Amino acid sequence: MIRIVAVDDELPALRRVGKLLETFGHVEVCGLFDKPAALLEYVLTEPAVDLALLDMDMPTMHGLELARRLRECRPDIQLAFLTAYEEFARDAFDVDALDYLLKPVMPEDLNRTLDRYRKRRGKVQDETAGPDQQEVAVHGFGPFSVFTGDGAEVRFRNSKAKELLAYLHHHQGKPVLKAQIIEDLWYGRDEERSQTNLHTTVYQLRKDMAAAGLPDPIGQSKLAGGSYCVSWHPFFDDAVAFAEEVSSFRRTSSIAHALKAVQLYGAGYLQGSGYDWAAPKQAELELVQEELLEAIVGQYVRQRRYDIAMGPMRKWAELNPLSARLHGRMIALLLLLGREDDARSYGRLAQQLLDESGERQSLDYAGVAADPLRLFLACEP
């Protein structure tokens, strides 16, 4: 699946691109924006975007400037330009643009751009894949999903087969005793029936993988009552990529790594799955996400890029809605943006939320308003 965003201040042209993109398979239109700042905020704070289509000539920010700012924080994102002016073509390739499409954009133009994206992505994967890596990608953030090398999502005939694969993948290749699997996936059920359910689920899971053209990923041992493990080496695993970006951020303090990790995290680890066994890991990674967002917001505020700081600030506050400390920082940021009415309104709603929850916390609006920057500079590394 190729996840695409587009920006153009001319709404008819923007809608045309959106409709054309919807005609292509394996394409997800994540957002259409008529303002560069809105697209930039989305890309910085939302799940990963693969390709951005940028109009060149926009009144608030030129497409090339937008491209450079995207490159600063998302060096992996691919860019293509939409414009009516051929003279911008050379400049477009100075920022390593994938393509340059003249308006009005035609279906064959977009087809060429998507083909170039696939070839460039395939080249990167060929260069980074090890000899034992398989043509499978695993997404653990958001709903658990598995994709084949050509981007097709693996379909599971029942939810337990999918959960079992997510569970074994969660254990990172370590063997898990059958008794433990039954305890975590069929808690409180009849033991004999649960044994049968486990065997049936393993069988169905293997069939689902075979139907997708993938090798059997399930390893099995009969020692110590029996165990299962997942024995695969995906060419992409977003949980592994997240851990690598977090490690790089902590080692270098580079905000680019923090931004990439936040994008990978998306809605959260196995979000919406209802898997009780995943709760400890979800809580652990949520704390890591807060750490990253705090660093990102802090850096943008110190750079006085208050508008860009708002997106990650919202995400940070949403992770911990009963924190007066975070609500105070949201109020401070609104004040730094000159939005005093919004700051007061937000403060009233936040205090109401804290009161209704039983949290004995009070927001000191006057204290925040006296020196909004203080809340951010106090935590400066």
Side-chain angles (χ1 to χ4, degrees):
M1 184 68 69
I2 306 175
R3 298 171 178 84
I4 301 179
V5 293
V7 59
D8 195 325
D9 63 311
E10 298 177 359
L11 288 178
L14 184 63
R15 294 191 190 103
R16 174 181 172 79
V17 167
K19 289 180 180 179
L20 287 176
L21 286 170
E22 289 172 356
T23 66
F24 291 90
H26 305 311
V27 165
E28 178 185 350
V29 181
C30 298
L32 301 174
F33 304 90
D34 62 354
K35 293 181 176 60
L39 178 138
L40 187 60
E41 179 179 328
Y42 179 88
V43 171
L44 290 176
T45 59
E46 294 300 323
V49 173
D50 302 311
L51 174 61
L53 305 179
L54 313 178
D55 183 29
M56 275 285 198
D57 194 19
M58 295 180 286
T60 57
M61 185 188 303
H62 195 276
L64 286 170
E65 173 61 22
L66 176 58
R68 294 186 182 101
R69 295 179 71 172
L70 285 170
R71 279 275 182 252
E72 288 177 6
C73 57
R74 286 289 311 276
D76 60 313
I77 197 169
Q78 298 299 324
L79 307 173
F81 288 98
L82 314 170
T83 185
Y85 305 100
E86 293 188 17
E87 59 266 27
F88 288 129
R90 188 182 68 178
D91 294 333
F93 291 102
D94 286 343
V95 291
D96 194 27
L98 187 71
D99 205 353
Y100 183 93
L101 295 83
L102 287 175
K103 298 179 183 179
V105 177
M106 305 302 290
E108 54 268 27
D109 298 326
L110 280 174
N111 187 56
R112 180 191 67 226
T113 301
L114 295 173
D115 187 53
R116 287 182 178 178
Y117 171 82
R118 293 187 190 97
K119 288 178 179 177
R120 184 174 290 190
R121 184 184 68 171
K123 181 179 179 181
V124 171
Q125 289 174 355
D126 288 345
E127 291 173 350
T128 58
D132 61 343
Q133 288 181 313
Q134 298 165 357
E135 287 298 307
V136 61
V138 182
H139 291 198
F141 289 105
F144 180 78
S145 53
V146 179
F147 296 86
T148 62
D150 62 1
E153 185 172 357
V154 175
R155 302 296 178 185
F156 299 92
R157 292 194 62 184
N158 63 62
S159 60
K160 265 313 183 202
K162 182 177 183 178
E163 182 179 0
L164 177 60
L165 183 58
Y167 177 86
L168 294 175
H169 182 70
H170 171 84
H171 284 83
Q172 301 176 329
K174 298 175 183 176
V176 187
L177 293 174
K178 288 183 179 180
Q180 186 63 54
I181 297 174
I182 290 171
E183 174 74 12
D184 289 338
L185 271 66
W186 287 277
Y187 176 76
R189 306 286 179 86
D190 175 77
E191 184 177 349
E192 184 176 346
R193 190 175 188 84
S194 295
Q195 289 271 4
T196 301
N197 285 338
L198 174 57
H199 296 150
T200 302
T201 302
V202 170
Y203 173 76
Q204 183 59 58
L205 175 55
R206 285 172 166 154
K207 283 185 64 177
D208 291 340
M209 300 301 283
L214 296 171
D216 179 6
I218 306 301
Q220 183 175 1
S221 170
K222 295 185 179 181
L223 299 176
S227 65
Y228 289 102
C229 67
V230 65
S231 55
W232 60 5
H233 302 278
F235 70 78
F236 177 76
D237 179 343
D238 61 358
V240 171
F242 176 83
E244 290 173 348
E245 295 295 340
V246 171
S247 177
S248 296
F249 164 70
R250 289 171 174 169
R251 187 177 67 254
T252 66
S253 298
S254 168
I255 211 68
H257 292 296
L259 287 164
K260 179 61 176 175
V262 165
Q263 288 146 9
L264 287 164
Y265 182 91
Y269 183 64
L270 295 175
Q271 184 62 35
S273 64
Y275 301 158
D276 292 340
W277 48 263
K281 186 71 171 180
Q282 289 170 333
E284 174 191 337
L285 294 182
E286 189 172 290
L287 289 175
V288 175
Q289 178 78 339
E290 285 198 53
E291 172 194 346
L292 299 169
L293 289 168
E294 181 172 7
I296 293 167
V297 171
Q299 177 152 320
Y300 283 150
V301 169
R302 289 189 291 275
Q303 295 172 346
R304 301 187 183 277
R305 299 169 69 183
Y306 306 134
D307 56 336
I308 303 301
M310 181 53 71
M313 184 68 244
R314 276 199 208 98
K315 280 190 167 294
W316 187 13
E318 288 167 3
L319 280 176
N320 199 344
L322 300 182
S323 169
R325 169 176 169 264
L326 293 189
H327 289 311
R329 292 192 182 184
M330 177 64 84
I331 291 169
L333 186 55
L334 288 168
L335 290 170
L336 289 169
L337 283 164
R339 295 165 56 182
E340 186 173 347
D341 289 344
D342 289 340
R344 289 187 179 279
S345 177
Y346 181 91
R348 288 192 295 270
L349 291 173
Q351 187 62 65
Q352 182 180 348
L353 175 65
L354 293 171
D355 293 341
E356 290 176 352
S357 69
E359 294 287 324
R360 297 182 178 179
Q361 303 179 72
S362 297
L363 293 171
D364 180 13
Y365 184 91
V368 173
D371 187 3
L373 270 176
R374 176 180 56 83
L375 292 181
F376 297 100
L377 299 181
C379 62
E380 187 172 0

